[in-house]
Amino acid sequence: MTKLFFGEALLPGGWARNVRVEIADGVIASVVADAAPEGERHAIALPGLGNVHSHAFQRGMAGRTEVAGPASRDNGADTFWTWREGMYRFGLKLTPDDMEAIAALAFAEMLEGGFTHVEEFHYLHHAPDGARYDNVAEMSARIFAAGGAAGIGVTLVPVFYAHGGFGPQPPSARQARFLNDLESYARLVDAARAYGATGVAAHSLRAATLEDVRAVAAMGAPMHIHVAEQTKEVDDCIAALGARPVALLLDNAPVDRSWRLVHATHMDAQETARLAQTGAAAALCPITEANLGDGLFPAKPYLDAGGRIAIGSDSNVRIDAAEELRTLEYGQRLATRTRNVLAMPGGSTGRRLFDLALEGGETGGIAIGASADIVSLDVAAEGDAILDAWIFARAPIDCVWRGGRKLVEAGRHVAKGPIAARARAAMERLRAG
Ligand SMILES: [Zn+2]
């Protein structure tokens, strides 16, 4: 039995003082407020957040795509599509060992950044030429191994990818690692389930037809899909299929609470209201969306219509839950030239953003029976001002527990040295090769 004691803690019912948390077998066994100090003492406890969208391997190219391309390329502008070429080149070189090493670093940094669980949207299934590994779930197994090394909770979301564009168009050779038909995808999902919690995903309406999307969704949950991230994707979808992508999905697939629509950046007012009514979460990845120049999600009308959001670190160019939430709010402020856009009237913006991310991420909170996933902060503030300080000012993460194991101490993952060294060796080899 581990005993932790916090000066203040955010519990499902709200803030409580002098909270003692008892942990047995990784699960919270008791939570007592106004308790006498006992056990290991910390200032503030928050529940760990769920990171609902990650491509862990892309951590290996973080900071390496910030150089402008030649002016002749794509009308002279660097865009998501030029970035994607770099990502394909990098992804083509990755071995299973590289995947495991880089994913472990990304997962350790997620814990340092306040995420205790990740839903890994995984599409690098095969060898670079498309040949199957002896174990079809080899790369999936490596992601679970990386999760084990870092200690984060992992739900693997193997991605169905069959086409190169709307129409459908044939895939390119650079997409060979991603490809499956529905049968081989079902075998892959089954094989991945032997290693841990596994959901399902279709990459996008570019890579999967509506028939594919329905078939994949019938194979499990949660169901993930990238949608409407780029205006070009919306234009191509209208040209090929006669409707906007979110509308098309809502009209042709059983979108419900178990779905995560990743980005959903470009929706008209009708799509925004309709998506909100489904109970599905819009999986927003504000740092990546800013980095890639995607555009701004219509957060205010969507939330006003009762929509759910969740937060993802996506490209993992930076991994920090507070920064994701700050970037989400700042985008809205810059676009509307107003402040505290996503707060409830009279309420704290930090609290609203945190509550939305916590609910959407579906981690258990600090409650009896939940996995002991706790983030402690070192900050002199009370109540919702703690969250405003964490998200908008400076309130560093001190310790993080996942399943009762203390994995971050004084802001650093306890195995960061060896995990980072292994990832660095992999990244240097990839850059040289
Ligand atoms: Zn993504």
Side-chain angles (χ1 to χ4, degrees):
M1 180 80 75
T2 304
K3 290 182 186 175
L4 304 177
F5 184 86
F6 300 97
E8 194 157 1
L10 184 57
L11 305 181
W15 292 103
R17 298 217 169 207
N18 299 320
V19 175
R20 189 178 66 228
V21 178
E22 294 182 338
I23 302 166
D25 297 328
V27 172
I28 296 174
S30 79
V31 181
V32 181
D34 304 315
E38 201 183 337
E40 190 179 320
R41 296 181 68 162
H42 295 274
I44 310 290
L46 303 175
L49 292 174
N51 176 2
V52 305
H53 187 70
S54 156
H55 311 283
F57 81 90
Q58 292 178 13
R59 171 62 182 83
M61 50 185 277
R64 298 272 167 182
T65 62
E66 310 304 325
V67 177
S72 59
R73 191 169 68 177
D74 212 20
N75 298 323
D78 269 41
T79 64
F80 169 87
W81 307 101
T82 53
W83 170 86
R84 192 178 73 157
E85 291 304 314
M87 186 269 284
Y88 280 180
R89 279 195 298 277
F90 180 76
L92 270 172
K93 296 192 268 186
L94 234 69
T95 66
D97 282 347
D98 296 333
M99 172 63 95
E100 185 174 336
I102 293 169
L105 177 63
F107 294 163
E109 290 176 349
M110 286 175 199
L111 286 158
E112 291 176 343
F115 294 117
T116 51
H117 186 271
V118 60
E119 296 176 27
E120 173 67 19
F121 191 100
H122 166 56
Y123 54 85
L124 281 181
H125 302 305
H126 316 307
D129 62 355
R132 270 45 178 170
Y133 290 112
D134 291 343
N135 172 5
V136 291
E138 175 70 31
M139 292 294 247
S140 300
R142 298 308 191 104
I143 287 166
F144 281 114
I152 199 167
V154 175
T155 297
L156 186 82
V157 188
V159 175
F160 175 85
Y161 198 117
H163 311 292
F166 292 102
Q169 293 164 17
S172 74
R174 295 161 311 162
Q175 294 162 335
R177 302 196 81 168
F178 319 159
L179 301 177
N180 280 292
D181 58 26
L182 287 168
E183 262 177 53
S184 65
Y185 177 74
R187 282 197 297 276
L188 172 64
V189 171
D190 271 350
R193 282 181 178 136
Y195 297 96
T198 299
V200 293
H203 180 273
S204 58
L205 290 171
R206 289 181 270 124
T209 65
L210 287 163
E211 293 75 15
D212 296 331
V213 170
R214 286 191 292 266
V216 167
M219 290 184 202
M223 168 70 183
H224 293 229
I225 185 168
H226 288 133
V227 68
E229 178 177 6
Q230 286 285 320
T231 51
K232 177 182 184 311
E233 178 190 349
V234 176
D235 296 343
D236 290 352
C237 186
I238 292 169
L241 300 169
R244 302 173 60 85
V246 172
L248 203 61
L249 211 50
L250 295 175
D251 285 337
N252 293 283
V255 177
D256 66 14
R257 218 182 149 75
S258 71
W259 283 56
R260 303 199 183 286
L261 272 66
V262 182
H263 307 300
T265 310
H266 300 288
M267 296 192 287
D268 64 20
Q270 210 183 1
E271 289 173 300
T272 304
R274 287 185 64 199
L275 178 60
Q277 284 156 21
T278 64
L284 308 181
C285 312
I287 294 173
T288 297
E289 289 156 8
N291 183 267
L292 297 182
D294 287 345
L296 279 175
F297 178 80
K300 177 88 169 125
Y302 177 75
L303 292 173
D304 285 350
R308 294 173 69 221
I309 64 166
I311 293 296
S313 65
D314 196 4
S315 70
N316 296 311
V317 61
R318 281 178 59 82
I319 301 175
D320 184 318
E323 186 172 331
E324 293 289 1
L325 296 172
R326 180 168 69 247
T327 306
L328 171 60
E329 167 70 17
Y330 279 179
Q332 304 296 317
R333 290 187 189 189
L334 289 162
T336 61
R337 288 172 283 161
T338 58
R339 303 190 68 252
N340 299 317
V341 181
L342 302 181
M344 301 298 271
S348 144
T349 306
R351 176 64 185 273
R352 179 93 194 286
L353 293 167
F354 189 86
D355 283 352
L356 289 164
L358 180 66
E359 196 277 328
E362 296 174 349
T363 48
I366 302 175
I368 293 171
S371 174
D373 299 355
I374 299 171
V375 173
S376 78
L377 302 180
D378 193 4
V379 59
E382 304 80 41
D384 291 346
I386 292 165
L387 292 168
D388 289 332
W390 183 49
I391 294 168
F392 294 104
R394 276 207 174 270
I397 287 176
D398 181 17
C399 299
V400 179
W401 295 260
R402 155 70 192 169
R405 287 170 65 203
K406 194 203 249 182
L407 295 168
V408 174
E409 256 189 294
R412 186 175 164 89
H413 192 282
V414 294
K416 189 68 173 291
I419 286 175
R422 198 175 158 205
R424 197 171 304 126
M427 292 189 282
E428 278 168 11
R429 200 170 52 245
L430 287 161
R431 275 200 285 282

